[in-house]
Amino acid sequence: MHDESTRREFFGLAGGAAMLAVTPHPAEATPAMLASAIRNVVGTATVQTGKVKLEIPPLVENGNTVPMTVSVASPMAPEDHVRSIHVFNEKNPQPNVANFYLGPHSGRAQVSTRIRLADSQKIVAIAKLSDGSFWSASVDVVVTLAACTEEVI
Amino acid sequence: MTSALINVPAKAKRGDIIEIKTLMSHIMETGYRHMASGEVVPRDIITSFACRFNGTEIFRTDLFPAIAANPFISFFTTVTESGKFEFEWIGDRGFSETATASISVE
């Protein structure tokens, strides 16, 4: 009887300890860090919603590699083109994901890559146009298996 | 180099917009993971990717730890003449790789 209860206690404690060990608090960027990372790019300019299309699966099974495509509605002419595309996230340890620099010779303002997502969160893409204006799109993504930013190896 | 995969059409018509796909083999260690001893695994990522056509830069990317391992990057360009694309990846710990691809434009 006594043995059984200590055994149960032991496993209970061990289970609890294991839970603690495998779910440490992830270091994550805060919305404030996201806002400041965006400010670093746009300065004091206002960011308008539109023109930018951010394609990313809304439900992600594996946060270690998430396909992402950003495109911008632009004629990509010398007088009217996309200069750069900046992608940010809300809850990875760092708010920046990538910066892409384009020009009128690009022909089409579209880039694709694969990203990591440490948690379900909002992704923001901002395009800088040749006239100095900024346009954005954001998508909320649900991640079931997070990228192992805190994994012990 | 064998560690790079580049997909560029071999031929195109003058003025065509072509897609260029690139993949570089790299661990992209974030610098946020820990070893069992508690030590942080030092960051080891590619920080910059650039593409030049006949010597002129046509595309550039800054990469952060949020880019998945073996970075895949695709983009577009307008081709006006035959020539050579040069690709360059630069990263932590002196990482530097290049690759080239040629296109013939009619």
Side-chain angles (χ1 to χ4, degrees):
Chain A
M1 273 299 256
H2 181 74
D3 275 2
E4 187 59 27
S5 79
T6 46
R7 217 175 88 107
R8 206 168 283 156
E9 259 170 52
F10 172 76
F11 281 120
L13 283 170
M19 284 290 284
L20 283 174
V22 298
T23 55
H25 255 296
E28 61 181 42
T30 63
M33 281 167 72
L34 171 64
S36 109
I38 291 174
R39 278 290 148 226
N40 281 342
V41 169
V42 305
T44 54
T46 48
V47 180
Q48 301 166 81
T49 306
K51 292 197 188 213
V52 180
K53 191 169 155 203
L54 175 54
E55 288 169 88
I56 190 163
L59 179 64
V60 172
E61 268 186 37
N62 184 352
N64 282 306
T65 173
V66 184
M68 175 191 80
T69 297
V70 185
S71 53
V72 187
S74 165
M76 293 309 272
E79 68 281 2
D80 180 9
H81 60 269
V82 177
R83 277 195 187 149
S84 57
I85 295 171
H86 308 266
V87 182
F88 305 94
N89 72 85
E90 201 177 16
K91 289 185 176 172
N92 281 7
Q94 245 184 308
N96 294 86
V97 176
N99 302 321
F100 305 94
Y101 302 91
L102 300 79
H105 52 260
S106 295
R108 187 184 304 175
Q110 180 178 323
V111 293
S112 301
T113 187
R114 295 176 192 146
I115 69 171
R116 286 180 172 132
L117 295 174
D119 203 348
S120 298
Q121 55 182 304
K122 185 168 80 173
I123 310 299
V124 182
I126 295 181
K128 181 184 185 181
L129 270 51
S130 53
D131 64 2
S133 64
F134 291 92
W135 296 81
S136 78
S138 66
V139 169
D140 286 297
V141 182
V142 174
V143 179
T144 47
L145 172 66
C148 327
T149 53
E150 292 283 310
E151 175 191 79
V152 173
I153 58 169
Chain B
M1 298 297 279
T2 50
S3 47
L5 281 176
I6 306 288
N7 187 331
V8 174
K11 281 182 187 176
K13 290 201 175 70
R14 195 175 304 275
D16 275 359
I17 297 169
I18 61 158
E19 183 173 21
I20 296 177
K21 295 178 184 168
T22 69
L23 190 136
M24 169 53 72
S25 160
H26 195 284
I27 185 171
M28 293 297 279
E29 182 61 57
T30 61
Y32 294 104
R33 298 199 302 167
H34 292 77
M35 285 179 262
S37 60
E39 272 178 276
V40 171
V41 182
R43 193 185 89 161
D44 182 11
I45 65 165
I46 295 173
T47 50
S48 160
F49 165 76
C51 174
R52 285 181 290 275
F53 182 65
N54 289 345
T56 308
E57 184 176 285
I58 57 166
F59 182 78
R60 187 160 55 88
T61 304
D62 301 327
L63 294 84
F64 293 87
I67 298 295
N70 305 323
F72 164 82
I73 299 169
S74 90
F75 55 97
F76 290 83
T77 191
T78 311
V79 286
T80 51
E81 57 179 352
S82 299
K84 195 164 82 168
F85 292 99
E86 292 171 282
F87 306 91
E88 186 179 36
W89 296 261
I90 293 170
D92 296 334
R93 303 187 192 184
F95 181 87
S96 177
E97 290 274 357
T98 56
T100 58
S102 294
I103 188 166
S104 86
V105 173
E106 294 151 3

